[in-house]
Amino acid sequence: MPCEVTRTTLRGMTHLPPPAEELRLLDAELWQLDARRSQLLARRAWLVAALNQTRWQSRAQASTQPPAAAASRPETAAPSVQNVLLVLGGVLLTLAAAVFTLVSWGHMGIAGRALVLGAVTLATLAAPVALLKRGLRSTAESVAGLGLALTVLDAYALHAAALSGTDGTGYAATASAVLAVTWSAYGLLPVTAALRLPLPCALAVAQFPLLLWALSADAGAYAITAALLVTAGLDALAVARLTAGAVRITAVAGAYGTGGWGALGAGWLSLTAGGPADASRAGALLLLAAAIALGAARRGPGVTHALGLAITAGLLVVAALGGVARSGLPSQWAVPAHLAVGIALLAAVRAERLPDAMRGGFAWASGAVQALAVLWTLPVVAVVLLGPAGRLGRVWSGAPADARAAVAADVPWPPDAAVAPLVLVAVAAVLALAVRAQEWRGRARLGAAGLLWAAAVTLPAVFEAPYAAGLLVLGVVTAAALYACRVTVGASQVMALVLALVTAAGLTLVSLASQSATLVVLSVLTALFAAASWRADVAPFTAPAALVHAAALASASGAAADWPPARTALPVLVVAGAAALLAARLGGSRTTVPVEATGAAVGLFAVALTVSDPPMLALVLALYGVIAAGTALRDGRRPVGYAATALFVLASWVRLAAWDVDTPEAYTLPVTVPALLVGALHRRRDPQVSSWTAYGPGLAVTLLPSLAAAWADPYWTRPLLLGGAALLVTLLGARHHLRAPLVLGGSALALVTLHELAPYVVQVTGALPRWAPPALAGLLLLALGATYEQRIRDVRRVREALGRMD
């Protein structure tokens, strides 16, 4: 059969059930799927429950079983326990040996004693050899320590038994030397070289032989100091030859300990030397200490170590040579002598063969000596600058005899101060010439300038120059400092300005002794600072200084003319006005604010001068207010207008008080009227401003004091006028819908009315029966209760009406 016939025949034979039958078959298949899904879900739920039950059982078993014990960690390492036991055992054996030696020794003969001690000591010292062969090094160290302690007991026992008649100190010196040698030999033996204890102990004991020998020989303080220094030198030599370890650490400690005590002892001997011979001996000891320090510095382990030792050596050299020079010179030359030696140390700084650390140490030592010398001159400078302040209580008491009497009137003059200027000049020369490093050059020059200034201001007092000459020197120094302000910049300019201000203050104090000197000095200083103010960078400081001196000159001029202080305030106030004019001319300069602040302070000083004279106080306040008002006209100075207003008000009040005016309205109305005018202008420019801000302060200033006065006034005039004014204010507030006038005026009117009607109310109340007031009160309450809702509405309407007002 052909293929085409077969496909056609098969397509025609395909069975297609009717829709109803097909829908039945689909429903059957879906039902079977749902049943299978239900079986699978049930099986899944059973498996989950079984797994959960197994998990809970495992947890319950774990909770009932005791936890495994954690492995305990040892709190102490085994080597630590071993060392503690060994040390404790050695200490106990040593104590036992000491008790035997001190207590039980006398019960045995000489042979027995020697046999016991010798046997025990030799056995103890030989035991570490066997222990080291077995590798028990720690135990060997403990036993070796016990052996060393037994040798000390042997030495004591020998002295107590056979050598008790010898000197104890000398025997101790010999015994310490023998012990040091013996322990050193024991520690250097090949079989005991591994022990670390004998050599440090030997070096520690070696610190005592020389000192004890010197003490036993009664050699004196110089020999004892020499013994300490020689011991320190030996320690320093040991430090240089030993490597790092306990022995070297012991040697370093010994060198610093004995060397420090020796250096201090030599310094004390130099200070207390009675003549050149003693000073020379002490100086030799100091030089020996310096040599030891230098030797240790050359072989030191580090730069910091060498630098510190070099500084110490330099200071010791200065103390040695300076002490020798001091012993043959007057007391006032002691400091210059030490300073000369300190400056001479700088020659060693130029030595190229020396290490850098040593040269740096010498430089620091020289600087320390110079700093101490300058510190010694500070009392002289302080007396010159601050001593004249004692004359503030007796100004113009008369020109003193000389410049020293002018500055040391109430303070003692420092002793040996004649060479203070020389010291200052010498250190200044060193700073100016010796410092060549670029980073330090500028600072050194500033320091030199400051020292030269100090020398210049102290010269007149030191040499007791005439009083006028002292004033002239201080004036020249001030002028020179101000000139330096004009030709320098940066730190130099700041320093010159500070020196100028300090010198001017000192010159002013010195000039207070004489009237003519005060006037001349203040005039010159005013001119100098005014001239220096032409440079803008220093004007913020020099211009206020010129104004201060000008105010002082005005005060001094008034006092010289025998004016009372109140009258002197007028020329002082002229200075404040000049400051205001100068500030207006300066504009936005950096000098403006300092000048204004100085002018304000000068104005307050003028006000203070007139406190005892009310009429003049009122005038000065008014003039000061004019100055403040002029300042307020400038841009950016509008807030000063409030100060001007306050000054004018105060001036009026003071004037009224001077006229014995006790009416409060005379004081309040001059404030109220301008305040109301200002408030009206304010509201005209800005209608959104509240009436409380515009009119509240002005109205309160008058209404409140007048109301208080009216309640205490028995007459009718004040209450009538106040009531009329309050009524007018209330009507104006109601007319223009202004809350502040309405509330303040209405409140004042109500209180005045209450005050005036109070007597009549009291009189009517007394005429009524006693039951009438309670009855009237009850009726009033009933009436209020009957119309409560209407009254609430009325109050709300009034509140809303007030709220709509400005």
Side-chain angles (χ1 to χ4, degrees):
M1 182 180 292
C3 295
E4 290 79 3
V5 175
T6 303
R7 289 193 185 97
T8 303
T9 304
L10 291 173
R11 186 180 301 113
M13 294 174 62
T14 301
H15 176 70
L16 294 175
E21 182 65 20
E22 185 176 2
L23 180 60
R24 187 184 63 78
L25 293 175
L26 290 176
D27 290 338
E29 291 291 338
L30 290 174
W31 182 83
Q32 291 179 359
L33 290 175
D34 290 338
R36 182 61 179 167
R37 184 174 184 277
S38 299
Q39 293 177 359
L40 293 175
L41 289 175
R43 181 63 180 173
R44 180 182 181 281
W46 183 86
L47 291 174
V48 170
L51 288 176
N52 290 334
Q53 184 176 3
T54 304
R55 194 173 297 167
W56 281 108
Q57 290 177 356
S58 300
R59 291 182 180 177
Q61 292 176 0
S63 61
T64 56
Q65 293 178 357
S72 59
R73 184 173 60 87
E75 297 181 357
T76 307
S80 300
V81 175
Q82 166 192 300
N83 294 334
V84 170
L85 294 177
L86 292 175
V87 171
L88 183 59
V91 170
L92 293 177
L93 288 175
T94 303
L95 292 176
V99 171
F100 170 77
T101 304
L102 298 175
V103 178
S104 301
W105 183 258
H107 300 288
M108 301 179 65
I110 296 177
R113 301 171 190 175
L115 180 62
V116 170
L117 278 178
V120 172
T121 302
L122 291 177
T124 305
L125 293 177
V129 178
L131 294 173
L132 288 174
K133 291 181 179 180
R134 294 178 176 271
L136 302 176
R137 182 171 180 176
S138 298
T139 307
E141 293 284 356
S142 299
V143 176
L146 174 62
L148 299 180
L150 288 175
T151 57
V152 177
L153 294 176
D154 290 340
Y156 168 76
L158 180 61
H159 180 267
L163 302 174
S164 59
T166 60
D167 178 56
T169 306
Y171 178 80
T174 304
S176 60
V178 172
L179 289 175
V181 174
T182 304
W183 292 355
S184 299
Y186 179 72
L188 294 175
L189 291 175
V191 292
T192 56
L195 296 175
R196 293 176 294 182
L197 190 61
L199 291 180
C201 291
L203 194 56
V205 173
Q207 308 300 314
F208 301 102
L210 293 178
L211 177 61
L212 293 176
W213 275 328
L215 291 174
S216 65
D218 292 332
Y222 291 92
I224 294 173
T225 305
L228 288 172
L229 292 176
V230 171
T231 304
L234 296 176
D235 289 332
L237 184 62
V239 171
R241 294 183 177 275
L242 294 173
T243 58
V247 183
R248 195 172 193 277
I249 294 174
T250 306
V252 170
Y256 277 108
T258 56
W261 280 110
L264 290 176
W268 177 254
L269 292 175
S270 178
L271 288 175
T272 58
D278 293 339
S280 300
R281 295 169 63 187
L285 293 175
L286 288 172
L287 290 177
L288 175 60
I292 295 171
L294 284 178
R298 292 181 66 89
R299 300 175 180 272
V303 176
T304 305
H305 176 82
L307 179 63
L309 289 175
I311 293 174
T312 303
L315 294 176
L316 290 173
V317 169
V318 172
L321 300 181
V324 174
R326 182 185 67 249
S327 63
L329 295 173
S331 61
Q332 63 182 0
W333 291 98
V335 173
H338 288 82
L339 177 62
V341 179
I343 294 174
L345 276 180
L346 295 176
V349 179
R350 305 298 179 188
E352 299 294 339
R353 293 178 297 177
L354 294 177
D356 293 339
M358 294 183 64
R359 290 190 297 164
F362 289 150
W364 279 104
S366 178
V369 173
Q370 297 177 56
L372 291 174
V374 172
L375 187 64
W376 174 78
T377 64
L378 288 183
V380 183
V381 180
V383 169
V384 170
L385 294 177
L386 302 178
R391 294 186 176 273
L392 292 175
R394 52 180 190 277
V395 178
W396 297 350
S397 58
D402 51 46
R404 182 181 297 183
V407 299
D410 298 323
V411 293
W413 181 251
D416 301 332
V419 295
L422 176 62
V423 171
L424 293 171
V425 172
V427 178
V430 172
L431 290 177
L433 301 176
V435 179
R436 298 180 180 180
Q438 190 64 30
E439 63 271 15
W440 293 96
R441 185 67 175 167
R443 301 175 185 177
R445 288 182 176 179
L446 286 179
L451 294 175
L452 290 177
W453 166 83
V457 298
T458 57
L459 275 176
V462 168
F463 291 104
E464 296 181 300
Y467 176 64
L471 294 176
L472 180 61
V473 170
L474 293 177
V476 171
V477 172
T478 304
L482 289 175
Y483 178 76
C485 292
R486 301 190 63 180
V487 299
T488 57
V489 293
S492 301
Q493 186 183 65
V494 174
M495 183 175 182
L497 179 60
V498 171
L499 294 181
L501 293 173
V502 173
T503 311
L507 177 58
T508 302
L509 292 175
V510 173
S511 67
L512 294 178
S514 172
Q515 175 179 316
S516 57
T518 302
L519 297 176
V520 172
V521 165
L522 291 176
S523 301
V524 172
L525 291 178
T526 302
L528 287 176
F529 281 102
S533 300
W534 288 103
R535 181 159 178 170
D537 48 359
V538 297
F541 303 96
T542 55
L547 292 173
V548 170
H549 287 96
L553 177 61
S555 300
S557 300
D562 292 331
W563 289 356
R567 188 176 179 184
T568 306
L570 293 177
V572 174
L573 198 61
V574 172
V575 178
L581 294 176
L582 178 61
R585 187 171 183 99
L586 291 173
S589 173
R590 292 190 303 117
T591 313
T592 303
V593 174
V595 168
E596 289 177 337
T598 306
V602 171
L604 292 176
F605 175 65
V607 172
L609 290 175
T610 59
V611 171
S612 60
D613 191 347
M616 187 60 70
L617 176 60
L619 177 60
V620 170
L621 287 172
L623 295 176
Y624 196 16
V626 172
I627 296 173
T631 303
L633 296 177
R634 294 165 43 207
D635 294 336
R637 298 294 187 270
R638 295 290 185 262
V640 183
Y642 296 107
T645 303
L647 289 171
F648 286 133
V649 171
L650 289 175
S652 64
W653 287 357
V654 172
R655 172 53 62 182
L656 291 173
W659 288 337
D660 296 329
V661 176
D662 56 358
T663 302
E665 288 78 11
Y667 296 89
T668 57
L669 287 177
V671 179
T672 296
V673 174
L676 293 178
L677 292 177
V678 172
L681 293 175
H682 196 183
R683 277 186 58 83
R684 178 172 294 182
R685 293 179 180 178
D686 187 6
Q688 301 298 324
V689 175
S690 173
S691 62
W692 287 106
T693 303
Y695 304 116
L699 293 174
V701 167
T702 294
L703 290 177
L704 295 180
S706 298
L707 185 61
W711 273 68
D713 193 349
Y715 303 102
W716 58 272
T717 307
R718 185 188 301 276
L720 179 60
L721 295 176
L722 179 60
L727 178 60
L728 179 61
V729 170
T730 304
L731 294 176
L732 289 175
R735 171 67 179 80
H736 297 283
H737 300 279
L738 301 176
R739 185 183 303 175
L742 182 61
V743 174
L744 292 176
S747 301
L749 180 60
L751 292 174
V752 170
T753 303
L754 177 62
H755 175 264
E756 292 301 313
L757 295 179
Y760 301 101
V761 172
V762 172
Q763 184 178 1
V764 171
T765 305
L768 292 175
R770 291 186 177 274
W771 54 266
L776 292 175
L779 291 175
L780 179 61
L781 291 176
L782 290 176
L784 289 175
T787 58
Y788 183 79
E789 184 178 0
Q790 181 64 34
R791 295 294 180 270
I792 291 178
R793 271 200 300 268
D794 294 341
V795 171
R796 288 176 179 174
R797 290 175 183 175
V798 172
R799 185 177 62 186
E800 292 174 358
L802 291 174
R804 288 192 296 269
M805 296 181 183
D806 294 331

